[in-house]
């Protein structure tokens, strides 16, 4: 089954404790992206990747890092999480450019205390 | 920078009522337009999209949207809603061949049985 998976689905952590949210897709998509969803703000793009070893900032990259060492994986790293990063995070992928239809993962709900 | 506005944050209506959700964007060039839907507890799914051609596009579950270039709008419509249409709806815009997908703030729709 074609899908985008994220782990963990729920995470509670404390300020400053590094964490990684994994994202994996099995559709051989070149483009992958991370978004955060906050009430009233919709989804805002954090980072995106056009292909392996090619990443770029989205609209809200501060406090986040990403890597794309393999085509199927695109982890999101929070080196020192803060409470304002409490949010719902979605990973997405598409065939090539970001202008194609994106397929979303199930989301990761993060609470930073 | 491109931006997307969704006029209504919350909409409450009864089954069989008609639904129209507004979406306006700011970018003046060629765009790709999307409506995504997020049912309670689920991840985002594509409802419909417009890349080119007939400005009236039909999507899944009886939804349609009309692209009006002169008004920079891409409004979503459904003639007769069902309780199962209760969800949050997001309009999204991407510059043609661009890499960033910009979302509106979302509209929560509650359909009363």
């Amino acid at each position: 089954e074609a899908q985008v998976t994220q782990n963990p689905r729920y995470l509670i952590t404390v300020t400053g404790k590094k964490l990684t949210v994994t994202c994996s897709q099995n559709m051989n998509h070149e483009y992958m992206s991370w978004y955060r969803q906050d009430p009233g703000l919709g989804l805002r793009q954090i980072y995106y990747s056009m292909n392996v070893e090619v990443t770029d900032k989205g609209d809200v990259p501060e406090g986040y890092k990403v890597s794309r060492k393999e085509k199927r994986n695109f982890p999101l790293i929070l080196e020192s999480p803060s409470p304002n990063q409490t949010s719902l995070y979605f990973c997405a992928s598409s065939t090539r450019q970001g202008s194609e239809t994106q397929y979303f993962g199930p989301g990761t709900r993060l609470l930073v205390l | 920078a491109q931006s997307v506005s969704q006029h209504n944050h919350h909409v409450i209506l009864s089954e069989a009522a008609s639904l129209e959700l507004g979406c306006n964007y700011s970018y003046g060039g060629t765009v790709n337009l999307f409506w995504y839907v997020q049912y309670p507890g689920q991840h985002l799914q594509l409802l419909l999209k417009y890349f080119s051609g007939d400005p009236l596009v039909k999507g899944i579950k009886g939804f349609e949207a009309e692209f009006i270039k002169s008004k920079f709008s891409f409004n979503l419509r459904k003639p007769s809603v069902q309780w199962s249409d209760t969800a949050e709806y997001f309009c999204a815009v991407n510059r043609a061949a661009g890499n960033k997908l910009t979302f509106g703030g979302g509209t929560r729709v509650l359909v009363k049985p």
Side-chain angles (χ1 to χ4, degrees), chain B residues 34-50:
Chain B
F34 305 84
W35 276 97
Y36 283 88
V37 60
Q38 186 177 31
Y39 296 105
Q42 297 186 27
H43 56 92
L44 277 82
Q45 305 169 40
L46 181 69
L47 204 52
L48 49 78
K49 63 185 178 183
Y50 172 81

Side-chain angles (χ1 to χ4, degrees), chain B residues 9-14 17-19 81 107-112:
Chain B
H9 295 296
H10 294 91
V11 172
I12 302 174
L13 58 167
S14 299
S18 64
L19 173 69
V81 295
T107 299
R108 286 186 185 270
V109 174
L110 173 62
V111 180
K112 297 186 292 183

